[in-house]
Amino acid sequence: MEVGVGVLADADDTLRRSFGVWTFSAQAIVLPGSWAFAATALTIAIFGGGAPVAIWGTLGISACLCIVVACLAEYGSAYPSAAGCTYIASQVAGPEWGRFCGYMTGAFHCLGGLFSPPAFLIVLSQLLLTCAAIFHEDYVATRWQVFLLYQFWNAVALVVLLYGSRILPLLSSIAFVFLAGGLFLTIGLLVGFAPVKESNQIVWFDFQNLTGYESSILCAMLGLLGPVYGFGPPHFLLNMAEDVKNPSRNIPIGLAAQQIGSTIMLLAFYIAAYYTVLDYDALFESTFPSIVGAVYLGATQNKAVTLVLLLIVLTPAFFSCFGYFLANIRLLYGFARDGALPGRSWLSKLDGHRNIPTNMLYISTLVNFVLGFIYLGSSAGFSIILGSSGIFYCAGYMFFFIPTILTRRRYIGNGTFKLPFAVGMLFAVFTVVFEAWTMILYSLPPSYPVTAENVNFTPVFLVAGALLSLAGYHSYGRNHFQMTS
């Protein structure tokens, strides 16, 4: 059975296509915020196996994600829509199960999309307060200060997206320039100012277990969370299909650019950081909001250089955060536009002049405000928020990869990018296994023994999200959700 490229319905509600192939590729590279997330989660890899797990794990996770991305590139090329994976699931699952699978994918990914921006806001807030703390040794940032700055960034993002969405391609290009130039400058400053370099043996081969777990396997799995956080979910670009020209061709190009760019940035950062950091005890005792401040200060022994290095991380993260928010809002907009939620016309209202679904933007900003209190109330708040978003995305993937396998790719459309049948089947099976394994990673307590302070509530959020999604489908989505995005 041949299925053509998905056709977008409701042309009046279609977004303006403001991204060309080059600006879209730049947006793809800066969108995940790889550098900022990897820097913030650096201690995860230090505890969980050390430098070898971070470096070799980055290569391993990258190889696995290349397979996942190849599948997403094929599906996104065949079915370009602002609804992204939601629309894909509704198509590849076939007419009998398409409505249910599309709704469940959309529900899980919308839950993930609600948790993702707060994690980025926390990273930005921690980085900025770390810049302030570099020259004030007695200053110790508190969670409420991070929370206040978090709410400030949330308001800034609202204003930029509301009044400056047209210049987002330009902001993406600026962020890309900062990333490319900053990468070489960071390596040069770290290597040039570091008084002593770590040995090759420690950086590439010595495994260390500081998690408290007796099992080296569990320790390494925890360490791999660092690269996993750094790469982030690979599907965000699919939700920008109506922002880019010729999406059937350019979405696969953008996904390839994102994967290559993230791999290079993560490897360069981890290698440079671990060669120049010698005193791990100083990192664990650091009072900086972001551990990367202690990494850079310990490596260079120079406060001015440390501030420059922090700004190199902060600046592209600041610019890319708007594109990150936009992709999440497009996801929520696409799901609401398909009638998955009550109040479809209000939720999916599109401001044609500003090129933004304004009501969905307001809702997202409000959710960001509320979720900030999770960080304020728990020392593990950042891990809870970031892990919950990741596990929701993984769960959502299952509702179109498993049907693809069960239907033997019968409903895969013909886009510009197409995988051979055997390759597509093999890649889909691998993706299901990989995403299930990643869900286990997100659910592990960060250290042992497990206490009230370090307990991981991510599985609780997953179960609650699954029950909420099922209830939403049976009470509303079953009769109102459409598969015509």
Side-chain angles (χ1 to χ4, degrees):
M1 177 177 179
E2 293 292 333
V3 184
V5 176
V7 179
L8 302 173
D10 302 327
D12 291 340
D13 292 333
T14 300
L15 299 159
R16 186 183 303 109
R17 300 185 185 276
S18 53
F19 286 86
V21 63
W22 293 110
T23 53
F24 188 63
S25 296
Q27 167 78 345
I29 293 173
V30 302
L31 181 63
S34 299
W35 206 343
F37 277 114
T40 304
L42 192 63
T43 50
I44 295 175
I46 293 174
F47 276 93
V53 171
I55 295 172
W56 295 112
T58 296
L59 291 173
I61 296 297
S62 176
C64 294
L65 284 176
C66 283
I67 295 175
V68 178
V69 165
C71 294
L72 294 178
E74 180 185 28
Y75 306 159
S77 179
Y79 301 113
S81 168
C85 293
T86 302
Y87 183 53
I88 290 170
S90 68
Q91 298 302 305
V92 302
E96 184 176 357
W97 289 97
R99 187 186 301 273
F100 173 74
C101 290
Y103 186 93
M104 293 302 291
T105 291
F108 275 119
H109 280 196
C110 283
L111 288 170
L114 291 174
F115 278 84
S116 294
F120 212 127
L121 292 173
I122 291 171
V123 169
L124 285 176
S125 303
Q126 290 176 335
L127 285 171
L128 189 59
L129 285 177
T130 302
C131 290
I134 291 297
F135 289 96
H136 301 84
E137 296 180 0
D138 296 332
Y139 171 66
V140 178
T142 60
R143 280 208 302 275
W144 71 265
Q145 290 171 327
V146 175
F147 170 79
L148 291 178
L149 197 52
Y150 165 103
Q151 300 298 355
F152 169 76
W153 288 126
N154 190 31
V156 169
L158 171 65
V159 172
V160 170
L161 290 176
L162 197 58
Y163 297 104
S165 60
R166 289 184 173 184
I167 65 170
L168 285 181
L170 175 62
L171 294 181
S172 297
S173 300
I174 294 173
F176 175 75
V177 171
F178 270 100
L179 275 176
L183 179 64
F184 293 104
L185 185 58
T186 295
I187 295 173
L189 289 174
L190 281 176
V191 174
F193 278 86
V196 182
K197 309 297 187 299
E198 190 60 271
S199 68
N200 292 331
Q201 179 67 30
I202 291 178
V203 172
W204 295 95
F205 302 107
D206 281 0
F207 182 89
Q208 57 179 357
N209 184 353
L210 302 177
T211 62
Y213 288 101
E214 294 183 3
S215 171
S216 297
I217 295 176
L218 284 177
C219 171
M221 288 176 66
L222 282 169
L224 289 173
L225 274 174
V228 168
Y229 286 152
F231 279 105
H235 69 272
F236 283 144
L237 289 181
L238 300 180
N239 298 104
M240 301 187 69
E242 295 173 40
D243 292 273
V244 63
K245 301 170 185 176
N246 193 4
S248 182
R249 169 181 175 269
N250 290 335
I251 282 178
I253 293 174
L255 286 168
Q258 176 178 276
Q259 189 62 22
I260 294 170
S262 294
T263 302
I264 292 173
M265 284 188 290
L266 286 175
L267 273 179
F269 173 77
Y270 280 135
I271 292 173
Y274 282 111
Y275 262 113
T276 53
V277 175
L278 302 177
D279 187 1
Y280 289 131
D281 290 335
L283 300 185
F284 303 145
E285 296 169 1
S286 169
T287 58
F288 290 140
S290 176
I291 193 65
V292 71
V295 171
Y296 286 160
L297 186 58
T300 64
Q301 301 296 310
N302 187 304
K303 293 181 179 180
V305 174
T306 298
L307 179 61
V308 171
L309 290 170
L310 285 171
L311 291 175
I312 291 174
V313 177
L314 179 61
T315 303
F318 170 75
F319 284 117
S320 65
C321 107
F322 305 121
Y324 193 83
F325 277 38
L326 177 66
N328 280 281
I329 291 169
R330 294 291 191 248
L331 187 159
L332 299 169
Y333 161 75
F335 190 53
R337 190 181 65 177
D338 288 345
L341 301 170
R344 170 189 178 184
S345 59
W346 186 84
L347 289 173
S348 59
K349 180 182 178 182
L350 181 67
D351 187 322
H353 176 70
R354 294 170 176 169
N355 198 34
I356 194 81
T358 50
N359 292 333
M360 194 58 75
L361 173 60
Y362 295 142
I363 290 175
S364 178
T365 303
L366 177 62
V367 171
N368 292 344
F369 172 80
V370 173
L371 290 180
F373 287 92
I374 295 178
Y375 177 82
L376 183 63
S378 171
S379 59
F382 175 78
S383 297
I384 292 172
I385 292 172
L386 192 56
S388 296
S389 68
I391 204 167
F392 282 137
Y393 290 134
C394 292
Y397 291 147
M398 297 299 185
F399 287 93
F400 61 92
F401 278 105
I402 291 177
T404 296
I405 297 167
L406 296 178
T407 60
R408 295 179 60 81
R409 293 171 52 85
R410 185 186 311 165
Y411 302 103
I412 299 295
N414 294 316
T416 303
F417 178 74
K418 182 78 172 179
L419 293 173
F421 174 82
V423 174
M425 284 292 291
L426 182 63
F427 280 13
V429 171
F430 176 86
T431 298
V432 169
V433 175
F434 175 73
E435 296 300 334
W437 174 80
T438 306
M439 291 172 72
I440 295 173
L441 285 190
Y442 285 129
S443 302
L444 291 174
S447 60
Y448 188 84
V450 181
T451 65
E453 289 293 320
N454 67 1
V455 66
N456 190 341
F457 289 99
T458 298
V460 177
F461 279 90
L462 176 63
V463 173
L467 294 175
L468 182 64
S469 300
L470 287 170
Y473 176 76
H474 286 289
S475 64
Y476 189 85
R478 180 168 51 183
N479 297 320
H480 297 87
F481 179 62
Q482 301 175 4
M483 300 177 289
T484 56
S485 278

